[in-house]
mmCIF file of all heavy atoms in Angstrom:
data_model
loop_
_atom_site.group_PDB
_atom_site.id
_atom_site.type_symbol
_atom_site.label_atom_id
_atom_site.label_comp_id
_atom_site.label_asym_id
_atom_site.label_seq_id
_atom_site.Cartn_x
_atom_site.Cartn_y
_atom_site.Cartn_z
ATOM 1 N N ILE A 218 18.850 4.421 4.666
ATOM 2 C CA ILE A 218 17.624 4.160 4.197
ATOM 3 C C ILE A 218 16.928 3.260 5.177
ATOM 4 O O ILE A 218 17.344 2.086 5.380
ATOM 5 C CB ILE A 218 17.580 3.606 2.720
ATOM 6 C CG1 ILE A 218 18.315 4.437 1.766
ATOM 7 C CG2 ILE A 218 16.100 3.316 2.225
ATOM 8 C CD1 ILE A 218 18.655 3.880 0.485
ATOM 9 N N THR A 251 6.728 -6.096 2.442
ATOM 10 C CA THR A 251 5.485 -6.867 2.754
ATOM 11 C C THR A 251 4.767 -7.265 1.540
ATOM 12 O O THR A 251 4.305 -8.389 1.388
ATOM 13 C CB THR A 251 4.677 -6.012 3.597
ATOM 14 O OG1 THR A 251 5.392 -5.600 4.834
ATOM 15 C CG2 THR A 251 3.275 -6.685 4.055
ATOM 16 N N ALA A 252 4.604 -6.367 0.581
ATOM 17 C CA ALA A 252 3.717 -6.568 -0.563
ATOM 18 C C ALA A 252 4.272 -7.844 -1.448
ATOM 19 O O ALA A 252 3.464 -8.620 -1.942
ATOM 20 C CB ALA A 252 3.655 -5.345 -1.462
ATOM 21 N N GLY A 314 29.497 -2.865 -4.121
ATOM 22 C CA GLY A 314 30.210 -2.421 -2.982
ATOM 23 C C GLY A 314 29.707 -0.951 -2.444
ATOM 24 O O GLY A 314 30.154 -0.575 -1.362
ATOM 25 N N ASP A 322 15.570 -3.814 13.450
ATOM 26 C CA ASP A 322 14.515 -2.793 13.573
ATOM 27 C C ASP A 322 15.023 -1.443 13.956
ATOM 28 O O ASP A 322 15.618 -1.300 15.056
ATOM 29 C CB ASP A 322 13.506 -3.256 14.713
ATOM 30 C CG ASP A 322 12.740 -4.551 14.256
ATOM 31 O OD1 ASP A 322 12.106 -4.470 13.158
ATOM 32 O OD2 ASP A 322 12.785 -5.497 14.979
ATOM 33 N N GLU A 336 19.245 4.401 15.392
ATOM 34 C CA GLU A 336 19.604 3.430 16.377
ATOM 35 C C GLU A 336 18.751 2.181 16.066
ATOM 36 O O GLU A 336 17.529 2.348 15.762
ATOM 37 C CB GLU A 336 19.273 3.914 17.699
ATOM 38 C CG GLU A 336 19.531 2.971 18.879
ATOM 39 C CD GLU A 336 19.168 3.520 20.341
ATOM 40 O OE1 GLU A 336 19.049 4.775 20.324
ATOM 41 O OE2 GLU A 336 19.022 2.745 21.183
ATOM 42 N N TYR A 370 -8.418 -15.389 17.939
ATOM 43 C CA TYR A 370 -9.683 -15.129 17.357
ATOM 44 C C TYR A 370 -9.787 -13.929 16.439
ATOM 45 O O TYR A 370 -10.694 -13.912 15.476
ATOM 46 C CB TYR A 370 -10.929 -15.137 18.346
ATOM 47 C CG TYR A 370 -10.943 -16.370 19.146
ATOM 48 C CD1 TYR A 370 -10.472 -16.322 20.413
ATOM 49 C CD2 TYR A 370 -11.625 -17.550 18.765
ATOM 50 C CE1 TYR A 370 -10.491 -17.485 21.329
ATOM 51 C CE2 TYR A 370 -11.649 -18.614 19.549
ATOM 52 C CZ TYR A 370 -11.247 -18.604 20.892
ATOM 53 O OH TYR A 370 -11.244 -19.684 21.616
ATOM 54 N N ALA A 382 0.078 -17.641 9.384
ATOM 55 C CA ALA A 382 -0.180 -18.915 10.171
ATOM 56 C C ALA A 382 -1.526 -19.020 10.622
ATOM 57 O O ALA A 382 -2.148 -20.167 10.670
ATOM 58 C CB ALA A 382 0.797 -19.061 11.256
ATOM 59 N N SER A 390 -9.719 -25.408 10.457
ATOM 60 C CA SER A 390 -10.705 -25.622 11.437
ATOM 61 C C SER A 390 -12.100 -26.077 11.110
ATOM 62 O O SER A 390 -12.737 -26.558 11.887
ATOM 63 C CB SER A 390 -10.801 -24.242 12.274
ATOM 64 O OG SER A 390 -11.530 -23.390 11.598
ATOM 65 N N ARG A 424 -18.835 -1.068 5.059
ATOM 66 C CA ARG A 424 -19.932 -0.166 5.074
ATOM 67 C C ARG A 424 -20.721 -0.217 3.823
ATOM 68 O O ARG A 424 -21.964 -0.253 3.869
ATOM 69 C CB ARG A 424 -19.470 1.303 5.403
ATOM 70 C CG ARG A 424 -19.028 1.579 6.753
ATOM 71 C CD ARG A 424 -18.597 2.969 6.930
ATOM 72 N NE ARG A 424 -19.613 3.890 6.701
ATOM 73 C CZ ARG A 424 -19.459 5.189 6.425
ATOM 74 N NH1 ARG A 424 -18.287 5.667 6.402
ATOM 75 N NH2 ARG A 424 -20.517 5.928 6.217
ATOM 76 N N ASP A 434 -9.743 -5.651 -21.133
ATOM 77 C CA ASP A 434 -9.389 -4.883 -22.386
ATOM 78 C C ASP A 434 -10.249 -3.802 -22.611
ATOM 79 O O ASP A 434 -11.433 -3.829 -22.532
ATOM 80 C CB ASP A 434 -9.401 -5.899 -23.582
ATOM 81 C CG ASP A 434 -8.307 -6.945 -23.439
ATOM 82 O OD1 ASP A 434 -7.339 -6.718 -22.746
ATOM 83 O OD2 ASP A 434 -8.518 -8.056 -23.987
ATOM 84 N N ASP A 455 -18.011 14.674 -11.684
ATOM 85 C CA ASP A 455 -19.106 14.875 -12.792
ATOM 86 C C ASP A 455 -18.372 14.619 -14.104
ATOM 87 O O ASP A 455 -18.997 13.892 -14.983
ATOM 88 C CB ASP A 455 -19.790 16.294 -12.812
ATOM 89 C CG ASP A 455 -20.682 16.355 -11.513
ATOM 90 O OD1 ASP A 455 -21.009 15.387 -10.975
ATOM 91 O OD2 ASP A 455 -21.032 17.518 -11.264
ATOM 92 N N GLN A 478 -1.610 13.178 -9.730
ATOM 93 C CA GLN A 478 -1.042 13.815 -8.634
ATOM 94 C C GLN A 478 -1.228 15.386 -8.807
ATOM 95 O O GLN A 478 -1.448 16.042 -7.847
ATOM 96 C CB GLN A 478 0.503 13.504 -8.634
ATOM 97 C CG GLN A 478 0.813 12.116 -8.185
ATOM 98 C CD GLN A 478 2.228 11.780 -8.097
ATOM 99 O OE1 GLN A 478 3.146 12.612 -8.352
ATOM 100 N NE2 GLN A 478 2.595 10.552 -7.674
ATOM 101 N N LEU A 493 -11.838 12.320 0.308
ATOM 102 C CA LEU A 493 -11.665 11.127 1.130
ATOM 103 C C LEU A 493 -12.935 10.617 1.810
ATOM 104 O O LEU A 493 -13.123 9.420 1.922
ATOM 105 C CB LEU A 493 -10.551 11.365 2.176
ATOM 106 C CG LEU A 493 -9.251 11.730 1.736
ATOM 107 C CD1 LEU A 493 -8.358 12.238 2.937
ATOM 108 C CD2 LEU A 493 -8.627 10.630 1.035
ATOM 109 N N ALA A 561 -11.731 -13.790 12.810
ATOM 110 C CA ALA A 561 -12.080 -12.442 12.131
ATOM 111 C C ALA A 561 -10.693 -11.793 11.833
ATOM 112 O O ALA A 561 -9.740 -11.895 12.488
ATOM 113 C CB ALA A 561 -12.878 -11.570 13.145
ATOM 114 N N ALA A 636 13.528 7.997 -8.470
ATOM 115 C CA ALA A 636 14.442 8.624 -9.293
ATOM 116 C C ALA A 636 14.825 10.059 -9.052
ATOM 117 O O ALA A 636 15.912 10.571 -8.933
ATOM 118 C CB ALA A 636 14.232 8.385 -10.746
ATOM 119 N N ALA A 639 16.585 10.422 -5.590
ATOM 120 C CA ALA A 639 18.002 10.125 -5.820
ATOM 121 C C ALA A 639 18.775 11.291 -6.383
ATOM 122 O O ALA A 639 19.869 11.683 -5.980
ATOM 123 C CB ALA A 639 18.260 8.845 -6.645
ATOM 124 N N ALA A 649 26.870 20.009 -0.281
ATOM 125 C CA ALA A 649 27.500 19.961 0.973
ATOM 126 C C ALA A 649 28.964 19.726 0.985
ATOM 127 O O ALA A 649 29.730 20.325 1.690
ATOM 128 C CB ALA A 649 26.748 18.867 1.834
#
Side-chain angles (χ1 to χ4, degrees):
I218 304 169
T251 301
D322 292 307
E336 181 180 346
Y370 300 99
S390 73
R424 287 181 58 195
D434 292 334
D455 287 345
Q478 292 183 0
L493 295 176

